[in-house]
Amino acid sequence: MTVRAWPERQYDDVTDDTSTWRDFARCGEVHPETFFPEQGCSPKAAKRICRRCEVRAECLEYALQRGEPCGVWGGLTERERRRLLYDLAA
């Protein structure tokens, strides 16, 4: 059995190597609407979950690469991701 090392934790690898960061994401343990709050609602609940997630960096990278237009990904809101991309481009 091989072991894949993720940040702060180790997970047993799936024998056919089909596991991804999503398989280990904490957001899979709660209702998806938590990560897509309505206009004017707070993203704090989603951010609390993200802070404890072992694959937060992978999630954020995925959202940035795909240009996810809404929701909380990797602990950042849409506005925070846009600001991050702007800062990286500068």
Side-chain angles (χ1 to χ4, degrees):
M1 169 174 45
T2 60
V3 176
R4 174 179 287 142
W6 292 94
E8 302 176 21
R9 203 164 161 188
Q10 289 187 345
Y11 298 89
D12 290 339
D13 201 0
V14 177
T15 56
D16 62 3
D17 201 31
T18 59
S19 62
T20 68
W21 64 268
R22 287 178 176 237
D23 296 324
F24 308 110
R26 284 194 174 268
C27 56
E29 301 170 4
V30 297
H31 198 284
E33 287 181 10
T34 304
F35 296 90
F36 297 92
E38 293 183 25
Q39 182 93 16
C41 293
S42 175
K44 287 181 182 179
K47 288 180 162 217
R48 268 194 305 276
I49 294 165
C50 291
R51 275 197 302 270
R52 297 187 322 258
C53 186
E54 294 86 2
V55 293
R56 179 179 175 185
E58 290 85 351
C59 177
L60 178 57
E61 180 181 354
Y62 174 85
L64 293 174
Q65 287 177 353
R66 290 182 48 112
E68 286 293 338
C70 56
V72 175
W73 291 81
L76 299 181
T77 64
E78 331 55 279
R79 180 177 289 166
E80 293 166 331
R81 290 193 305 276
R82 281 193 306 269
R83 188 176 312 132
L84 176 62
L85 287 173
Y86 177 80
D87 290 346
L88 291 173

